[in-house]
Amino acid sequence: MGVGTSLTLRPAVPMGFVTGVPYVCALGVARQLGARLSWPHGVVSAEGEPLVYVDARAGYDDGGVFVRCDLTWEAEKDLDADSLERAARDAADAWAEECAAGRGVAGPLASVLGDYFDVLLGMGEKVEVLRGGRVVACGTLAGVDVWGRATVRTEDGGRELELAPEQATLRLAR
C-alpha cells in the first residue's frame, strides 16, 4: 500500500517556471536518500527500483501561485516523511534563489540541469518510450532540456523524439 506526504510550496519564480518544481523536489529527495532519478521525477535506487514518486499541481489563491507537491512511496520502504518533505522544500527554496539570482533565465531547470544529469538513471542508455502502458518506441536517452523534456534517439533510423512528461514515460530497456 502506498503512503506519502504533501507539501505546499510558493517558489518565488516566474509563473512559467513552476513546471520545474517536481524535478527540483525529486532531486532534493534523491540527494536525501543517496538515490538516482528516473525521468521525469521518479526517485529510484541505483538499480532502478522505485523509491519515491514526486507529483505536483500548481494553482493560484489569495496568496498567489502555489504548487502542491505530493511524495508517495510503498509503505514497506519505511521512509521518514518529515526528512523527505524537508529535502524537497530545501531544494525548491535553493532553486528559487538560483532563479532569482538570474541563473535560470534559459528555463526552469537551467540552474540544476547538471545536478539532474548526474543522478539521472539511463542517460545514454537504451530506453523504452511508453504511452498508455505500451511501448511505442525504443532508443537511447540522449538528453533532457531546460524545460524538462527528454530527447530519445530512436533505433529505427536515429529519429529524435522530444517528450514532455505528459506525453510519455520512459523505462530502461529490458
Side-chain angles (χ1 to χ4, degrees):
M1 167 170 241
V3 297
T5 186
S6 291
L7 59 153
T8 300
L9 304 167
R10 294 184 182 275
V13 298
M15 188 180 297
F17 280 26
V18 298
T19 58
V21 169
Y23 295 89
V24 172
C25 289
L27 185 56
V29 170
R31 285 180 186 146
Q32 175 69 24
L33 297 175
R36 308 280 309 266
L37 293 175
S38 66
W39 182 84
H41 15 82
V43 180
V44 297
S45 70
E47 298 77 33
E49 176 190 345
L51 298 175
V52 179
Y53 188 74
V54 179
D55 191 28
R57 296 282 183 260
Y60 187 84
D61 63 13
D62 292 339
V65 174
F66 69 89
V67 179
R68 190 189 85 215
C69 187
D70 299 325
L71 310 175
T72 56
W73 59 90
E74 294 301 316
E76 62 269 13
K77 302 279 186 226
D78 196 31
L79 300 175
D80 178 29
D82 291 336
S83 70
L84 297 183
E85 267 190 48
R86 192 170 32 262
R89 188 175 304 281
D90 290 350
D93 289 346
W95 167 70
E97 288 174 16
E98 290 287 312
C99 288
R103 288 184 276 282
V105 291
L109 301 183
S111 66
V112 297
L113 201 52
D115 294 334
Y116 186 85
F117 281 151
D118 288 347
V119 295
L120 183 61
L121 191 65
M123 185 59 74
E125 297 179 33
K126 300 289 183 195
V127 294
E128 297 174 329
V129 178
L130 302 158
R131 286 192 179 130
R134 292 185 18 240
V135 176
V136 296
C138 295
T140 301
L141 179 56
V144 175
D145 69 15
V146 295
W147 294 94
R149 296 177 299 236
T151 300
V152 175
R153 190 169 298 116
T154 64
E155 294 173 339
D156 61 351
R159 180 172 58 108
E160 287 191 355
L161 300 175
E162 191 172 279
L163 305 164
E166 57 272 12
Q167 293 177 303
T169 58
L170 302 178
R171 73 175 175 209
L172 293 177
R174 297 179 183 171

